[in-house]
């Protein structure tokens, strides 16, 4: 490195000498003429001195001639010659003076030029020094960069080796992953086999349960024949079907699921309540005898249940699940009849559409129409927003409530919405239709419940209360059997009941309750009994008994 620096310096010194030589050559003539000017000036001074001497001699001769008489002729000749020489010399002196003046002028110019050139030379020397310092800095920087380059080359080699090692580890990990996937596939197949066996065992147990139930019903019928109730007992039973009554308190309360309970629905023909929870199960509860008795557990879902729905005959039950599927069971034997998959997001609502079809709404912003006979999707409608709930008006039409704060109307015979959307002030959590099909109830996330007249497609009444808060995005509200009241669960564990004409009639509150948010309510179709479920795993039966 030191040798390279000396070579650089020698090259720069040679180049500077060459440049100095080239620039000095331009002024060689000026220097030469300046030297000649000095020589000529010296010569003229010498001649001027000689002339002064000659003049003094001439003056002395003239004086001597005037003093003596002899030699007049010679003096005259000498004077003539001397005058001619004097005139010649005066002309020569004049010319020399002019040349001297010109030379002095040129000397001044050349002196100024020399000063300017010296200044330029000084500036160039300064620049040269700066360039040399910059060159030294750049040389040092180049040396450091070379050292860094060598270090980076070494690091590159190290990183390349590490990359090869990482690639080898990745290949090994991929091999292990494939082995784990193969093992997972085997375990999954084994799990499916075990599930099929469990399903067979469950079906056998259900068959056994059906047989026992049938035998129990036969024995109860025999006892009923022997013990015909009198008029007083018939009147007591009829009192339980007081459609226009108002629930007053808790009849009984029980643990329904192992997690949050998201859905509740009464059977249309019996005093049986169906509940769906986060524990992936649908459970049937017999509450007709004043106590809670579990009638069956419907399994098959892989994630939590969001909604449950009976068909009009009460023989089938439909549930929507978070595993992007809907399932249908038969109520009598608890068998899983259909599993409908096709949505790409969790299914939040599922309703029967007549006797041969059903409709589902999903978080994937689509609605699907399913043919129960073929177990296939016949049509997909793109709503553009997540659907939280559905109601069906007849075998061809249904209404959906969405997260984008809109209610949409659909007909299976057309591709798009059949009427204008109805915008609300918040996300719609649930819908319910009055028995006469003229009014629609919608629960909104802004803690209001809106009553819509479907004949005018507008909101005719809004229900709200300062203490009423919607507890979740899927909170369900319901009309009473006579459509004269509405019920809704609140975030504080209360159930609010409004008259359809506007005033709040009562607030049902369990004094011993946990205060967990009520997620869904459902009226019994033939009485004033009300069922509610909450996030504390409870199902509460409210009545006026």
């Amino acid at each position: 490195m030191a040798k390279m620096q000396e070579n650089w310096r020698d090259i720069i010194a040679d180049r500077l000498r060459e440049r100095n030589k080239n620039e000095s050559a331009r002024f060689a003539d000026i220097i030469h003429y300046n030297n000649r000017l000095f020589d000529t000036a010296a010569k003229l001074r010498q001649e001027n001195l000689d002339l002064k001497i000659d003049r003094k001699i001439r003056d002395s001769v003239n004086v001597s001639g005037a003093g003596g008489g002899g030699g007049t002729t010679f003096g005259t000749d000498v004077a003539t010659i001397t005058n001619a020489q004097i005139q010649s010399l005066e002309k020569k002196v004049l010319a020399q003076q002019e040349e001297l003046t010109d030379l002095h002028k040129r000397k001044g110019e050349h002196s100024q030029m020399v000063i300017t050139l010296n200044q330029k030379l000084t500036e160039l020397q300064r620049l040269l020094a700066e360039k040399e310092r910059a060159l030294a800095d750049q040389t040092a920087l180049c040396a450091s960069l070379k050292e860094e380059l060598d270090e980076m080359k070494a690091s590159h080699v190290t990183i390349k080796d590490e990359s090869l090692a990482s690639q080898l580890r990745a290949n090994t990990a991929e091999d292990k992953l494939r082995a784990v996937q193969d093992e997972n596939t085997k375990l999954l197949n084994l799990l499916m086999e075990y599930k099929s066996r469990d399903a067979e065992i469950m079906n056998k147990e259900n068959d056994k349960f059906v047989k026992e139930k049938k035998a129990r019903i036969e024995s109860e019928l025999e006892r009923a024949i022997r013990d015909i109730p009198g008029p007083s007992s018939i009147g007591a039973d009829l009192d339980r079907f007081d459609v226009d009554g108002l629930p007053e308190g808790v009849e009984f309360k029980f643990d329904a699921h192992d997690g949050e309970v998201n859905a509740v629905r009464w059977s249309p023909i019996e005093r049986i309540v169906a509940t769906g929870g986060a524990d992936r199960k649908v459970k049937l509860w017999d509450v007709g005898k004043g106590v809670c008795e579990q009638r069956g557990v419907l399994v098959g879902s892989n994630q939590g249940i969001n909604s449950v729905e009976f068909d009009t005959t009460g023989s089938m039950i439909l549930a929507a699940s978070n595993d992007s599927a809907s399932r249908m069971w038969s109520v009598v034997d608890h068998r899983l009849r259909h599993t409908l998959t096709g949505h790409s997001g969790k299914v939040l609502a599922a309703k029967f559409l007549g006797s041969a079809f059903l409709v589902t709404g999903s978080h994937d912003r689509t609605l699907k129409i399913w043919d129960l006979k073929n177990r296939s999707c016949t049509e997909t409608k793109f709503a553009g927003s997540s659907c939280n709930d559905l109601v069906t008006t007849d075998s061809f039409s249904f209404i959906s409530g969405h997260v984008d704060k809109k209610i949409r109307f659909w007909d299976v015979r057309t591709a798009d919405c059949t009427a204008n959307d109805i915008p609300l002030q918040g996300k719609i959590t649930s819908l319910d239709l009055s028995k006469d099909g003229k009014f629609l109830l919608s629960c909104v996330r802004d803690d209001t419940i809106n009553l819509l007249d479907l004949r005018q497609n507008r909101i005719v009444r809004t229900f709200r209360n300062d203490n009423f808060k919607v507890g979740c995005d899927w909170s369900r509200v319901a009309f009473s059997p006579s459509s004269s009241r509405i019920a809704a669960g609140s975030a504080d564990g209360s159930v609010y009941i409004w008259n359809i004409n506007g005033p709040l009639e009562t607030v049902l509150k369990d004094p011993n309750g946990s205060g967990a948010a009520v997620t869904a309510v459902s009226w019994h179709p033939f009485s004033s009994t009300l069922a509610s479920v909450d996030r504390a795993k409870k199902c509460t039966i409210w009545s006026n008994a």
Side-chain angles (χ1 to χ4, degrees):
M1 184 60 68
K3 184 177 180 181
M4 184 178 295
Q5 291 180 355
E6 291 177 0
N7 291 337
W8 275 99
R9 291 181 178 180
D10 293 341
I11 292 170
I12 291 171
D14 292 339
R15 289 182 180 177
L16 290 173
R17 292 190 191 97
E18 184 178 355
R19 188 184 70 178
N20 190 27
K21 182 179 179 181
N22 293 334
E23 292 182 354
S24 298
R26 300 176 185 175
F27 309 103
D29 294 338
I30 297 173
I31 296 170
H32 174 67
Y33 285 122
N34 190 35
N35 294 332
R36 282 183 61 188
L37 178 62
F38 281 113
D39 294 339
T40 304
K43 185 177 179 181
L44 289 173
R45 283 193 296 271
Q46 185 62 38
E47 288 180 356
N48 190 17
L49 181 62
D50 292 340
L51 288 172
K52 289 180 179 179
I53 294 169
D54 288 342
R55 186 174 181 179
K56 287 181 179 181
I57 293 171
R58 188 178 70 247
D59 290 341
S60 65
V61 172
N62 290 335
V63 170
S64 65
T72 304
T73 305
F74 175 77
T76 303
D77 294 335
V78 171
T80 304
I81 293 171
T82 301
N83 291 330
Q85 289 178 349
I86 288 170
Q87 290 177 358
S88 175
L89 288 172
E90 287 178 352
K91 292 179 179 180
K92 192 173 182 179
V93 169
L94 183 61
Q96 291 296 330
Q97 287 178 350
E98 292 177 354
E99 186 176 356
L100 180 62
T101 302
D102 184 51
L103 288 174
H104 279 297
K105 182 179 179 181
R106 291 175 65 184
K107 179 183 177 182
E109 293 177 353
H110 291 167
S111 298
Q112 184 63 36
M113 189 178 296
V114 168
I115 292 171
T116 304
L117 291 175
N118 286 331
Q119 291 177 353
K120 290 184 178 179
L121 180 61
T122 303
E123 181 67 20
L124 291 173
Q125 288 176 348
R126 186 183 63 79
L127 293 175
L128 177 61
E130 292 179 356
K131 295 291 185 182
E132 287 180 349
R133 288 195 297 271
L135 178 61
D137 294 338
Q138 294 296 327
T139 303
L141 180 60
C142 181
S144 63
L145 289 175
K146 284 185 177 180
E147 293 176 358
E148 290 182 2
L149 180 61
D150 294 337
E151 293 177 357
M152 292 181 68
K153 286 182 178 179
S155 300
H156 177 69
V157 173
T158 304
I159 293 172
K160 189 174 181 180
D161 295 339
E162 291 179 354
S163 176
L164 293 174
S166 299
Q167 186 65 34
L168 292 175
R169 289 195 298 269
N171 293 334
T172 304
E174 288 181 355
D175 294 337
K176 291 181 180 179
L177 177 62
R178 283 192 290 270
V180 170
Q181 288 177 344
D182 294 338
E183 184 178 0
N184 188 27
T185 302
K186 293 179 181 179
L187 292 174
L188 185 61
N189 293 331
L190 186 61
L191 177 63
M192 296 301 295
E193 183 179 353
Y194 286 156
K195 281 192 172 183
S196 63
R197 291 178 182 176
D198 291 340
E200 291 177 359
I201 294 172
M202 181 66 71
N203 290 333
K204 290 180 180 178
E205 291 179 354
N206 288 335
D207 291 338
K208 181 179 178 181
F209 177 77
V210 170
K211 291 179 181 178
E212 292 176 353
K213 179 181 177 181
K214 185 177 180 180
R216 186 171 64 253
I217 291 174
E218 290 178 352
S219 62
E220 289 178 356
L221 288 174
E222 291 177 355
R223 288 196 301 271
I225 292 172
R226 292 193 301 268
D227 186 15
I228 298 176
S232 59
S233 62
I234 294 176
D237 290 337
L238 289 176
D239 289 340
R240 297 182 63 85
F241 294 93
D242 181 11
V243 175
D244 293 329
L246 188 66
E248 297 175 356
V250 178
E251 183 176 355
F252 53 87
K253 190 173 187 177
F254 57 91
D255 289 326
H257 290 267
D258 295 331
E260 295 182 0
V261 189
N262 298 326
V264 63
R265 187 69 66 179
W266 286 92
S267 168
I269 59 174
E270 301 178 87
R271 285 185 62 85
I272 293 178
V273 175
T275 58
D279 59 357
R280 303 176 295 176
K281 298 175 183 178
V282 177
K283 295 184 178 181
L284 301 177
W285 308 91
D286 188 348
V287 296
K289 300 177 182 178
V291 294
C292 173
E293 179 183 351
Q294 184 172 303
R295 292 282 296 271
V297 179
L298 311 181
V299 297
S301 176
N302 297 316
Q303 292 187 28
I305 303 298
N306 291 317
S307 73
V308 292
E309 183 75 14
F310 284 96
D311 69 344
T312 56
T313 64
S315 61
M316 306 295 292
I317 188 169
L318 175 66
S321 173
N322 281 332
D323 62 357
S324 306
S326 300
R327 292 172 177 84
M328 189 167 67
W329 294 266
S330 57
V331 176
V332 174
D333 56 8
H334 309 155
R335 285 180 180 270
L336 178 63
R337 298 299 181 181
H338 302 296
T339 299
L340 307 174
T341 59
H343 284 290
S344 60
K346 56 186 178 182
V347 183
L348 299 170
K351 296 294 176 68
F352 287 97
L353 191 62
S355 60
F357 295 89
L358 59 88
V359 58
T360 57
S362 170
H363 190 267
D364 64 5
R365 300 179 293 178
T366 64
L367 309 171
K368 289 183 180 290
I369 313 299
W370 305 85
D371 186 345
L372 295 178
K373 182 178 181 181
N374 299 323
R375 302 182 184 182
S376 62
C377 176
T378 60
E379 185 180 359
T380 298
K381 295 183 180 295
F382 296 92
S385 176
S386 174
C387 175
N388 274 345
D389 201 7
L390 295 163
V391 292
T392 57
T393 57
D394 53 39
S395 299
F396 302 101
S397 304
F398 59 93
I399 306 170
S400 59
H402 297 267
V403 172
D404 66 354
K405 309 177 184 179
K406 291 183 179 180
I407 296 175
R408 292 178 171 88
F409 298 83
W410 307 87
D411 193 306
V412 297
R413 295 163 292 190
T414 59
D416 298 325
C417 296
T418 58
N420 294 330
D421 299 343
I422 298 179
L424 299 181
Q425 298 301 315
K427 291 190 293 186
I428 300 167
T429 67
S430 68
L431 301 174
D432 195 27
L433 191 67
S434 62
K435 278 194 173 183
D436 58 8
K438 296 179 181 179
F439 295 93
L440 179 69
L441 196 63
S442 65
C443 182
V444 186
R445 204 65 173 89
D446 64 353
D447 301 326
T448 62
I449 301 172
N450 296 311
L451 181 66
L452 291 85
D453 189 338
L454 297 181
R455 296 166 295 183
Q456 305 176 33
N457 272 6
R458 68 181 185 89
I459 299 174
V460 295
R461 188 163 286 107
T462 299
F463 304 93
R464 59 168 55 89
N465 187 272
D466 293 340
N467 298 322
F468 173 73
K469 304 294 179 184
V470 177
C472 60
D473 286 344
W474 57 91
S475 180
R476 310 298 188 189
V477 297
F479 273 111
S480 67
S482 62
S483 299
S484 61
R485 296 183 178 92
I486 64 169
S490 177
D492 62 355
S494 303
V495 177
Y496 285 71
I497 298 178
W498 283 272
N499 189 283
I500 200 69
N501 294 318
L504 178 67
E505 292 193 345
T506 186
V507 178
L508 303 177
K509 180 74 173 181
D510 183 5
N512 300 321
S514 62
V518 176
T519 56
V521 296
S522 178
W523 293 88
H524 188 276
F526 306 114
S527 72
S528 60
T529 305
L530 182 69
S532 66
V533 292
D534 56 38
R535 286 184 161 181
K537 312 176 186 180
K538 303 290 185 179
C539 178
T540 306
I541 306 299
W542 310 85
S543 69
N544 56 1

